[in-house]
Amino acid sequence: MINVKKRQPVAKGTISLTLRATLLFAFIASLVISSVGFYLYYSMGKKLMRRADYQVSGRVQYFRHLLANEFPLSQLSHNPGLFENMLGNERDILTFRLAGQPPLINVKPAQLILPSVAPVPDGQPLTLETVHHLIAPNGTPVRFARTEVQIKDGRKDEITGEHFMTEESRLLETFRWKITGAVLFAYLLIATLGYLVLRRGLRPLRKMAQEATKIHPSSLSTRLSTENAPRELKQLIISFNDMLERLAEGYQRLTQFSADLAHEIRTPMGALMGALYQPRSVEEYKTLLANNREVLERISRLVENILFLARASDARSVLTIARIDVSSEITRVQEYFEGLAEERQMILDCEVKGIVYADAMLFQRAISNLVANAVRYGREGSTITISAQPQAKGIDIHVTSQGNPVPPEMLDKLFDRFYRADLSRSEGNSSSGLGLSIVQAIMVLHQGSVQVTSSDQGETRFTLSFPRTRSDPDYRFS
């Protein structure tokens, strides 16, 4: 009985691929938008500070030029409103001071103590580098410049101009909050739209999963549809369908193997059980047991063959590799089968020379199975030829027989377990239908191959290709 596992439910704590991709995409997008916003904010702040520096240096330079061109200082001191109108910002400061005297003009004084800096000498131009920076106690950035100018009477006047970046700070703060809100809004918008787009884009994947859940051992012929599937999923669907094809083929072979195995064992076991149910004399029982010995030996060989195939398929067989003289080994096989061949008036022709690196027992078993198959199914009175052909990468052993031609569609099935191409000749003989399967398993263990060809004239040739060397940790040399 085959147990089919139910589909496991998805764990509740697992994050879906759609949500994971959406959050990642939205996070990356928010990083990009944040980087752009930070760059704009930083650039805007730099531009506002630069503009403030130009504004301060321009004001100081203007009054410096005004006093240097014989404009009376006394007239300036009697018209402070002129400076207030020019400053604009209610916290900006403009101070005129003669050397060693208190300020003559102090427009909009603020409770801000400026650091002691040397004024720019008279005749030296004001630049952005001559503008000084500081932070007011309330956190407002301040820009100020200080310079000297020689007035008409020969005295030097010190001009100090200050600018409080109050409006600029408010503008930057407003801009900062707008950028923060825009980033959050963009993140939510991108996450929502991205989730919808990804969910729609992954719809073919969900469809594929739904179709896959409908496939059971009884419906292995079902295939996933590639219609309207995106290019990225088509190759996956094709590969999945190919896997289903292999699974269906393997499942079919397993089913057939189970049926054939039951048939092979049921017939001799039925004969044994039927013989025991009938009353017989002691002599009859002795004769019956002697006759049934062949049946038990056949069952024993069948079990051994199945066990060998199971071990070979599971790659648990460890080979003992030796340097084998092909001629001597083939001669042994020829001598063993000469009696059986003569019963059918068949001739064994062996002309082989060469060296092969293989497990001696398995090499002899593979050749014996092919010769036994040729004797059993070959035409009476024909010749069975065993030959060897050295190759660049190893050696090929050919076993050629004459008989009925094998249709091309049956050639690949010859190596299936319990498969018999000629059922009429299989009835009543000791063949289990595993001989060629064992040959193929032996060649796989040697990392070689076996091929079969059959002509229209009935010449069937099996070719065993043994490699010259191999590098396998389970490959022991003797």
Side-chain angles (χ1 to χ4, degrees), residues 241-283:
N241 287 338
D242 291 342
M243 182 192 69
L244 289 178
E245 191 72 30
R246 294 190 294 270
L247 287 176
E249 183 179 354
Y251 188 78
Q252 180 64 30
R253 289 185 179 181
L254 179 61
T255 304
Q256 186 65 36
F257 173 78
S258 301
D260 293 340
L261 180 61
H263 174 74
E264 291 292 332
I265 296 179
R266 181 183 60 185
T267 301
M269 291 300 296
L272 292 175
M273 296 296 293
L276 294 176
Y277 286 150
Q278 298 180 7
R280 302 177 188 272
S281 63
V282 175
E283 294 297 327

Side-chain angles (χ1 to χ4, degrees), residues 8 43 94 99 107 144 189 259 282 293 296 299 304 308 315 339 427 438 443 460 470:
Q8 296 294 331
S43 299
L94 185 61
V107 181
F144 72 96
L189 182 61
V282 175
R293 180 179 178 180
L296 294 175
I299 296 176
E304 289 179 359
F308 174 82
E427 296 295 335
I438 292 175
M443 296 311 297
T460 301
R470 76 173 249 183

Side-chain angles (χ1 to χ4, degrees), residues 28 31 34 39 41 56 76 89 102 132 158 178 182 253 264 284 303 322 325 330 350 356 369 394 400 413 420 450 455:
I28 294 175
L31 283 181
S34 300
Y39 173 76
Y41 176 80
V56 171
L76 286 177
N89 192 311
H132 305 282
E158 184 180 280
K178 285 185 178 180
R253 289 185 179 181
E264 291 292 332
E284 289 177 339
V303 172
D325 182 11
I330 298 299
C350 303
V356 64
N369 284 359
T400 307
K413 298 180 180 179
R420 299 178 179 87
V450 55
S455 65

Side-chain angles (χ1 to χ4, degrees), residues 38 46 57 90 105 206 433:
F38 175 79
K46 281 289 187 181
S57 62
E90 63 181 10
I105 301 174
R206 293 195 299 272

Side-chain angles (χ1 to χ4, degrees), residues 162-178:
E162 304 173 38
H163 175 65
F164 282 79
M165 299 183 63
T166 306
E167 294 299 328
E168 290 87 344
S169 298
R170 290 191 190 127
L171 181 62
L172 285 175
E173 184 179 4
T174 303
F175 188 65
R176 183 171 61 249
W177 282 110
K178 285 185 178 180

Side-chain angles (χ1 to χ4, degrees), residues 17-18 194-212 224-225 227-230 232-233 236-237:
L17 180 62
T18 304
Y195 180 82
L196 296 177
V197 171
L198 285 174
R199 184 172 178 80
R200 181 177 180 84
L202 293 176
R203 185 182 299 173
L205 192 60
R206 293 195 299 272
K207 179 183 177 182
M208 176 181 172
Q210 292 175 357
E211 293 179 357
L224 301 183
S225 174
E227 185 179 358
N228 298 326
E232 294 79 5
L233 284 182
L236 177 61
I237 294 176

